[in-house]
Amino acid sequence: MPKTAERVQQLGSGIFSELDVLRKQKEQEGVKTINLSIGSPDLPPAAHIKKALQAEMDNSNNYGYPLTDGLPAFKEAVAQWYEKRFQVPLNPGTEVLPVMGSQDGLGHLGLAYLNPGDIALVPDPGYPVYTAGVLLAGGVKYPLPLVAENKFLPDLQAIPREIAWAAKLMYLNYPNNPVAAIADLDFFEEAVAFAKEYDLILCHDLAYSELAYDGYRPPSLLEVPGAKDVAIEFHSFSKTFCMAGCRLGFVVGNQEIIEGLATVKSNIDFGVFKPIQKAGIAALTGPDDWVKENAAIYQRRRDILVDGLNALGWQIEKPKASMFVWAPLPYGYTSSMQFSLDLLEKTGVVVVPGVAFGEQGDRYVRMALVVEENLLEEAVARIGRAFASFSSSVAGELP
Ligand SMILES: Cc1ncc(COP(=O)(O)O)c(C=O)c1O
């Protein structure tokens, strides 16, 4: 049997599957695990979305090839939602493209714009599909370290000029997965100016725009005047509308960049199933109170977990957005994998070692707020019991 291509051999280390094997082993030993590893929303979509999907499934006209370009009504609904939510006007005919989950578009963008050996600037730690897309296209990743000292924003001025000139693409993601940091419009302005100066495509991933807390409303990068000259922005129905399994997202912004991506996609897929696009229209145009209620549920979960762990002596910052908590390793640990394994062994709580998202993540673990409040309370209680010495020895001494 021939070996997989070298580009495939470079891909992810499979930490998620490794963790799942260990989690299942624990379950077999009779331990009820609490899984805070995968960021898949546990809440259901609203009734009006499910109803739209059901009705469209009954319509026999919806079973032909949908085509990559997408339904005009879907793109119109996206443009209206962007105008209402961010006051960003979009031409639905040329500046909007549906994707099969934002992962699809993010993963294929490199194929549209990177020749073998071309450089892409990728946050480290970062959501893994940016790196995967770059590597699958034969590109080279230049990591942008996200560190606490810089509020987990990349220091654009620290990028060597020759790298910035050689690079073609830069990925950004705020609110961020995994570090749960946010960015304001000043930073986005700097990023747009940087992309213009160095002739870069700026790709912003806005998957978590609606999961924000304490009244905070994340901005769109396209709010920056002139951003559309260089930027595209991805959005996902997975988190905002709890439709992760439907595989629906969209990309908006620069027409030419979107056309490049559409050309790649039209050669390998036939678009998103029409009933799903129509359920998407129902989500975008329907009542949105429940989206805010969902955010309130995540906010309560955040408070239970972060307040609970901090009461044990841990020092974790409360995120303003996203569905994650980015926790520094307790005193005494230097490897995120080692701490995650210890935590699973001692408590049955599953978290993701930060190194799964890049080298810079190795001093942290990521916890996803995807279980109910009572289970988060239970997780805190178990950690408190298992790390009795941890709580007393680490107070005030976290890295
Ligand atoms: C930052 C970020 N971008 C994109 C995605 C992928 O979302 P989708 O389900 O739309 O492919 C995720 C999923 O967890 C994510 O965290």
Side-chain angles (χ1 to χ4, degrees):
M1 168 70 84
K3 276 196 181 146
T4 50
E6 281 160 17
R7 74 179 78 85
V8 173
Q9 292 166 25
Q10 298 178 73
L11 294 180
S13 61
I15 287 182
F16 287 92
S17 14
E18 212 177 299
L19 277 174
D20 209 49
V21 170
L22 295 172
R23 184 187 66 78
K24 283 182 185 140
Q25 265 172 20
K26 271 270 148 213
E27 290 271 340
Q28 270 163 8
E29 288 165 20
V31 177
K32 190 110 194 62
T33 59
I34 301 175
N35 194 353
L36 309 184
S37 66
I38 305 262
S40 183
D42 59 316
L43 305 170
H48 64 274
I49 299 176
K50 288 192 280 190
K51 229 164 124 192
L53 184 56
Q54 272 161 2
E56 296 298 338
M57 298 277 279
D58 277 339
N59 180 348
S60 303
N61 295 328
N62 280 337
Y63 286 81
Y65 286 122
L67 299 184
T68 304
D69 191 36
L71 299 175
F74 176 81
K75 296 193 286 187
E76 186 63 48
V78 168
Q80 280 172 16
W81 188 78
Y82 246 70
E83 175 83 56
K84 186 168 143 207
R85 170 66 177 84
F86 302 111
Q87 294 75 55
V88 171
L90 293 168
N91 179 336
T94 56
E95 295 177 333
V96 180
L97 181 75
V99 287
M100 297 165 152
S102 51
Q103 183 104 343
D104 160 30
L106 289 161
H108 285 124
L109 184 65
L111 284 180
Y113 285 97
L114 298 176
N115 290 315
D118 280 348
I119 296 175
L121 309 176
V122 183
D124 178 355
Y127 184 61
V129 75
Y130 317 137
T131 299
V134 171
L135 296 178
L136 286 172
V140 176
K141 161 181 163 172
Y142 183 87
L144 303 178
L146 305 187
V147 295
E149 297 73 45
N150 203 34
K151 298 189 173 148
F152 297 105
L153 298 170
D155 181 355
L156 301 180
Q157 299 316 317
I159 301 170
R161 301 295 98 169
E162 63 279 12
I163 297 288
W165 278 120
K168 277 192 162 175
L169 251 172
M170 176 161 74
Y171 296 85
L172 293 175
N173 164 222
Y174 293 97
N176 186 278
N177 175 15
V179 306
I182 57 172
D184 59 18
L185 272 181
D186 287 349
F187 173 73
F188 286 157
E189 259 169 38
E190 188 192 337
V192 168
F194 185 84
K196 287 189 175 180
E197 185 176 353
Y198 293 102
D199 197 20
L200 291 167
I201 290 173
L202 185 51
C203 169
H204 184 230
D205 179 356
L206 188 55
Y208 295 97
S209 69
E210 307 312 299
L211 289 188
Y213 314 124
D214 308 321
Y216 171 64
R217 297 281 279 162
S220 157
L221 181 136
L222 298 181
E223 288 174 43
V224 174
K228 256 196 241 170
D229 297 342
V230 287
I232 56 170
E233 189 161 74
F234 281 90
H235 197 92
S236 167
F237 283 69
S238 302
K239 323 289 166 163
T240 299
F241 300 113
C242 307
M243 293 168 69
C246 292
R247 310 312 302 131
L248 182 63
F250 57 80
V251 55
V252 296
N254 183 278
Q255 173 179 348
E256 215 179 306
I257 307 172
I258 289 177
E259 275 168 13
L261 176 61
T263 302
V264 171
K265 279 176 51 59
S266 64
N267 278 277
I268 49 182
D269 74 57
F270 282 108
V272 178
F273 187 37
K274 287 181 199 169
I276 289 181
Q277 290 190 60
K278 291 183 179 175
I281 296 172
L284 292 167
T285 58
D288 61 0
D289 290 356
W290 74 281
V291 174
K292 295 189 182 102
E293 281 159 25
N294 276 346
I297 292 173
Y298 284 109
Q299 181 173 324
R300 282 199 297 277
R301 292 175 176 181
R302 173 202 69 168
D303 290 344
I304 288 170
L305 188 65
V306 178
D307 290 344
L309 294 175
N310 283 347
L312 299 175
W314 211 332
Q315 291 171 7
I316 301 172
E317 203 161 311
K318 256 192 194 180
K320 281 240 167 287
S322 85
M323 58 201 291
F324 305 106
V325 169
W326 187 237
L329 297 185
Y331 181 73
Y333 284 95
T334 51
S335 147
S336 57
M337 192 66 189
Q338 191 53 51
F339 175 63
S340 305
L341 294 177
D342 257 20
L343 192 67
L344 176 59
E345 182 56 34
K346 291 184 173 141
T347 67
V349 175
V350 195
V351 299
V352 183
V355 73
F357 303 98
E359 263 175 47
Q360 297 290 334
D362 204 17
R363 288 171 57 213
Y364 294 83
V365 290
R366 189 196 75 174
M367 304 175 186
L369 300 166
V370 290
V371 300
E372 287 176 5
E373 294 178 17
N374 62 334
L375 280 178
L376 291 170
E377 280 160 5
E378 169 70 17
V380 171
R382 287 190 199 176
I383 292 172
R385 281 196 299 274
F387 288 90
S389 58
F390 145 100
S391 55
S392 50
S393 67
V394 298
E397 292 188 68
L398 285 163

